[in-house]
Amino acid sequence: MKKYFFSIIFLLSATLLRAQSVDSLQSDSPLSTKLDSLIKEARLLETTQLGLMVWDLTADSVLYTYNHRQRMRPASTMKLLTAITSLDLFGGNHQFTTELRYKGEIVGRTLVGDLVCVGSMDPTFDNGDMNYFVDQIRAVGIDTICGRIVADKSFKDTLLLGQGWCWDDDNPCLSALLVNRKDNFVQRLTTLLTDVGIVFMEHSSPNTHHPSPITQLSIINCQLDKVLTRMMKQSDNLYAEALFYHTALSIARPATQKNARTAVRQLIQRLGFDPAQFTVADGSGLSLYNYVSPELLTAFLRYAWQNDRIRRHLEPSLPIAGIDGTLKDRMKNTPAYRKVRAKTGTLTGISSLAGYATASNGHQLAFAIINQGVVKAKDGKTFQDAVCRLLCE
């Protein structure tokens, strides 16, 4: 109830601000003058498009806009919408689980029945986790399996690629059961069990779904915060899509891309925007079908900042200028060093940056910059870094 009361207040304030002329909100400040000069002198903008918005979170008012309502491809700043939606729905304690169950009974040292691997698209599951499962099987005394190893992938739809992904890109595999990012869970588990001397009486069946396993043998949990950190710091697309699918759980099970898109659009609407004016295709920004605006990105950032349940998880996950993640090598030896926490975005023709900055007067700012039509991503990054320097000096 508290979350929805907050959303109503945010919606009312957002609607009132949007009803006013942005020009009337945007003062003729030194920052505005400097940004005007930067844009006017940027040769990059002679052949490319720019969308820019800066919001003073401390004063809760617009500081600067330039084509802020233009619909543009966000690239990986799309991950902000995914992250904020998921945190709004679940908070930071939501779990990604991978379970090992069995159906049948253990007779002596023989499992008479099937091992069932149940996935919920945990992108962090690796060899160490798989070895733990092997140890748990041995710990209950099993040395023979008279049955199959079954993969239960019923957590999600059967799609392995996102909407609008280019076939020749290095796309992540969207499987419900992953180990080291690969869709070979059953094969890997079978090999490891064989290596430690466990005997199979039947061949494994890697693509069979088992609807009703009986006994839980082991479970591995991963908290949302762990997924969020790599997703944002390293801009990991698999982690973003896994989180995107989990937002779909707020609509229905199994998780589908359609319901994940619905979950994000519902928050867009609650923030006072018409979801029909934007396109949400995936959770990572890989899709060429995504279309948002700098204004929408800024509104999500503002909502997150004003909602501590979201902010305390989102802010630490963002790359820090000159320190880590995808901003590790940017803005060093500038006023923006350590004062900008933001999500980067790079796609063919697109360079973007959106997040938070601390101004010299101590005010906290939210900003979104999208450079579209750029041939070299470096040119967009150079422009964005210049904007951030002005925001922080």
Side-chain angles (χ1 to χ4, degrees), residues 29-32 34 54-58 63 334-340 356-366 387-393:
S29 65
L31 174 61
S32 296
K34 291 177 181 179
V54 184
W55 190 283
D56 188 326
L57 295 163
T58 304
L63 278 183
T334 77
Y337 174 68
R338 301 182 70 100
K339 294 183 179 180
V340 169
Y356 302 110
T358 303
S360 59
N361 64 356
H363 281 214
Q364 299 299 311
L365 313 177
V387 171
C388 288
R389 287 197 299 271
L390 294 179
L391 296 183
C392 299
E393 68 179 16

Side-chain angles (χ1 to χ4, degrees), residues 118-306:
V118 186
S120 71
M121 204 176 175
D122 179 0
T124 72
F125 195 96
D126 59 15
N127 282 337
D129 297 318
M130 188 66 86
N131 288 330
Y132 177 78
F133 272 177
V134 171
D135 290 342
Q136 292 300 297
I137 293 169
R138 298 176 71 190
V140 296
I142 295 173
D143 63 15
T144 303
I145 297 175
C146 186
R148 305 165 298 165
I149 298 183
V150 178
D152 184 342
K153 301 181 181 181
S154 60
F155 165 81
K156 64 178 288 293
D157 57 31
T158 58
L159 298 175
L160 297 181
L161 294 175
Q163 184 185 52
W165 286 8
C166 294
W167 65 270
D168 56 347
D169 281 346
D170 183 18
N171 297 312
C173 178
L174 306 182
S175 173
L177 263 175
L178 295 165
V179 56
N180 292 333
R181 309 175 71 92
K182 295 181 180 179
D183 187 23
N184 62 349
F185 196 101
V186 169
Q187 295 92 327
R188 183 65 181 152
L189 181 57
T190 302
T191 298
L192 289 176
L193 289 173
T194 302
D195 288 347
V196 297
I198 292 179
V199 176
F200 289 87
M201 302 301 291
E202 289 186 23
H203 294 294
S204 63
S205 178
N207 295 315
T208 303
H209 287 243
H210 201 295
S212 56
I214 294 176
T215 306
Q216 184 187 91
L217 196 154
S218 187
I219 184 170
I220 290 178
N221 295 312
C222 172
Q223 281 196 325
L224 188 151
D225 269 340
K226 183 177 180 181
V227 173
L228 185 67
T229 298
R230 181 175 175 89
M231 164 184 163
M232 304 302 272
K233 295 281 190 186
Q234 306 302 326
S235 200
D236 193 300
N237 294 319
L238 173 60
Y239 282 54
E241 295 302 331
L243 194 54
F244 187 61
Y245 264 102
H246 274 251
T247 66
L249 299 179
S250 66
I251 308 296
R253 290 176 180 265
T256 65
Q257 292 182 10
K258 179 181 178 180
N259 285 340
R261 290 191 283 269
T262 297
V264 177
R265 285 197 293 263
Q266 286 178 344
L267 183 52
I268 290 173
Q269 186 168 32
R270 281 170 44 212
L271 298 190
F273 295 86
D274 179 4
Q277 297 301 310
F278 308 98
T279 303
V280 177
D282 67 10
S284 63
L286 272 176
S287 177
L288 297 177
Y289 298 166
N290 290 311
Y291 275 96
V292 302
S293 68
E295 181 182 38
L296 183 67
L297 287 170
T298 304
F300 266 71
L301 288 164
R302 176 178 171 241
Y303 179 71
W305 188 266
Q306 294 179 346

Side-chain angles (χ1 to χ4, degrees), residues 310-368:
I310 302 173
R311 176 182 168 183
R312 68 173 179 263
H313 299 284
L314 178 68
E315 190 181 12
S317 75
L318 294 170
I320 305 171
I323 297 297
D324 64 12
T326 54
L327 288 180
K328 183 178 181 179
D329 297 321
R330 293 174 61 176
M331 302 180 228
K332 291 184 176 181
N333 302 313
T334 77
Y337 174 68
R338 301 182 70 100
K339 294 183 179 180
V340 169
R341 290 177 177 263
K343 183 70 200 74
T344 57
T346 305
L347 202 60
T348 301
I350 307 295
S351 180
S352 56
L353 186 69
Y356 302 110
T358 303
S360 59
N361 64 356
H363 281 214
Q364 299 299 311
L365 313 177
F367 68 90

